[in-house]
Amino acid sequence: MSAWAGVAVAVTLGGYALVSARLSRTIVSGPMIFVAAGLVLGPLGLGLLTLGKDAEPVTVLFEATLALVLFTDALSVQSKALRRDDFLPIRLLAVGLPLTIALGWLFAWLLLPGLNIWEMALLGAILAPTDAALGQSAISNPGVPAVVRQGLNVESGLNDGMSLPFFVLFLAAAAGHESAQGPGEAFFRALVVSAVLGVAVGWGAAIALRWSAAVGWVEGQWRHILVIATAMAAYGLAVVTEGSGFIAAWVAGLVFGTVLRSATDTPRSAAADPQQDLRDTAGLAEDLGGLLVAVSFVAFGAVLLDPALQHLSWRIVVYAIASLTVVRVLPVVVALVRSGLRRPTVAYIGWFGPRGLASIVLGLITLEEHIPGVETVSAVIAVTVGISVYAHGATSVPLAARYAAWWSRMSASQPGREGAAVRNRDKRPRFGFRGHPAELPSVSAEQ
């Protein structure tokens, strides 16, 4: 990347920082600005950023960003509270996610005849994960019921990790003889070996942190660095064993957070309190993740979306629109049958399923595999994410306000399932998925 491109990215980030609070109340989101800046810097604009000359640094940027985001997303999840209270994300993940992948596969068969069956399945898996950062107001508006905000937030934090085994299997099958590993071996290394490594790294780091904090050996700033080092270690170990670094990072985050929250019979100082450990250690990782995500959207606009716009076809555009509407909404409707949620709530949840960082990175990995239909797959992913950035970004503020107003009228007389009490919630802003504040379950003694 040239020095001028670096200056342009820095100016974009700095300029947005100065007006970020003001823009948060408008239909203009950060990702919209960053992607637009990337288009200006790409081949259709100034030509300062292109995949041909910047492929390696862009790949490293995307992969490092996703690994860190997966780790911090998983770190925020409290499994006991999820099992006890959050019927919504369980339904969306257990029922909605597999249906989304299957429906994405079906629409690819209908609209993209140049792809083989495994490439169609791969496209469905890549575009299944959602990214709450693209519709931040949808989960941050306090007028939206907490159950809905929490459900969308948890879904976004978990579905990218849960989509990875499908992605690995379909990619190995699509690559066929070109792949050094067969589908079975690739799936085993990604799902089993990588998960075991993630458990080992996450557990070991969390235990070491609790012990070090209990004896007063760890300084505050190094708590922050430990989070990043743990994510890096899990990702790196999986890569060198030919597994999935992303699955390892995601599992490590789950285990790291769970161990720090777990009750213990041994005395510990206030500094080693598990809830405080998470608040203290996650700050730098969340801020760094937010910065990397912003830069990634600039790079996406330049090196992926820009070239895709030069080779548009009606089939690609129709599939992208279908992916963000029918392929998202229909599985949500099925998943929420007999849930007690009203139609406006189901429609709200169905619409706010943006596609973002995870799809971008998985698409870039697919591009490197040189499968036969890679150009079509890459173009579809880029166009789908590009439409999502602007469609969900522009609608998140007005639709959240409109839904909140509807909910305010309805809750006065008929609270319904949307008003179900969510126990043990910590009302203070905490780190959330994709680096945004969110209401997450608090830790209580009974947990």
Side-chain angles (χ1 to χ4, degrees), residues 113-439:
L115 302 180
N116 65 43
I117 189 171
W118 292 115
E119 291 166 348
M120 296 173 186
L122 181 63
L123 189 57
I126 291 173
L127 290 174
T130 60
D131 188 345
L134 300 187
Q136 183 182 356
S137 294
I139 61 171
S140 63
N141 188 319
V144 176
V147 167
V148 176
R149 285 182 283 128
Q150 176 73 2
L152 288 171
N153 203 30
V154 173
E155 179 201 17
S156 174
L158 292 180
N159 63 7
D160 39 14
M162 294 177 66
S163 299
L164 287 171
F166 296 98
F167 167 77
V168 171
L169 178 61
F170 296 152
L171 180 61
H177 66 276
E178 300 294 335
S179 175
Q181 303 175 8
E185 181 183 356
F187 190 75
F188 175 79
R189 287 181 179 274
L191 190 61
V192 179
V193 175
S194 301
V196 169
L197 290 172
V199 169
V201 172
W203 181 85
I207 290 296
L209 174 61
R210 292 185 64 169
W211 175 82
S212 181
V215 298
W217 283 14
V218 60
E219 293 182 348
Q221 65 180 16
W222 286 98
R223 291 173 179 267
H224 304 168
I225 295 174
L226 177 65
V227 172
I228 300 172
T230 304
M232 290 172 56
Y235 178 86
L237 282 174
V239 169
V240 299
T241 55
E242 299 184 0
S244 170
F246 300 126
I247 291 179
W250 187 72
V251 172
L254 283 175
V255 175
F256 187 88
T258 299
V259 172
L260 284 186
R261 293 187 190 94
S262 63
T264 178
D265 296 329
T266 59
R268 60 176 183 264
S269 66
D273 176 73
Q275 185 74 0
Q276 192 61 43
D277 279 342
L278 286 178
R279 289 173 179 164
D280 289 347
T281 59
L284 178 60
E286 287 286 339
D287 291 341
L288 179 58
L291 173 62
L292 292 177
V293 167
V295 177
S296 295
F297 275 114
V298 176
F300 162 73
V303 305
L304 294 178
L305 181 58
D306 202 328
L309 294 178
Q310 301 179 48
H311 303 91
L312 277 182
S313 70
W314 70 268
R315 292 181 180 276
I316 290 175
V317 174
V318 171
Y319 184 91
I321 294 173
S323 179
L324 298 173
T325 53
V326 180
V327 175
R328 164 65 181 180
V329 175
L330 187 57
V332 169
V333 171
V334 173
L336 298 182
V337 167
R338 304 180 70 87
S339 66
L341 298 176
R342 295 180 177 87
R343 289 181 181 178
T345 298
V346 175
Y348 185 82
I349 294 169
W351 171 241
F352 284 109
R355 309 309 200 276
L357 179 66
S359 296
I360 294 171
V361 177
L362 298 183
L364 189 62
I365 293 173
T366 302
L367 188 61
E368 296 176 339
E369 290 295 322
H370 304 294
I371 60 176
V374 67
E375 291 185 2
T376 300
V377 171
S378 178
V380 170
I381 294 167
V383 173
T384 303
V385 174
I387 294 176
S388 180
V389 166
Y390 289 95
H392 290 103
T395 58
S396 63
V397 171
L399 288 186
R402 183 174 180 179
Y403 176 66
W406 169 84
W407 164 243
S408 178
R409 295 193 302 270
M410 292 297 298
S411 62
S413 57
Q414 301 175 0
R417 191 70 187 271
E418 293 91 341
V422 184
R423 295 174 291 175
N424 297 321
R425 297 299 188 208
D426 184 354
K427 301 303 181 183
R428 292 168 292 181
R430 290 186 49 205
F431 56 93
F433 302 123
R434 300 292 188 265
H436 298 297
E439 287 183 354

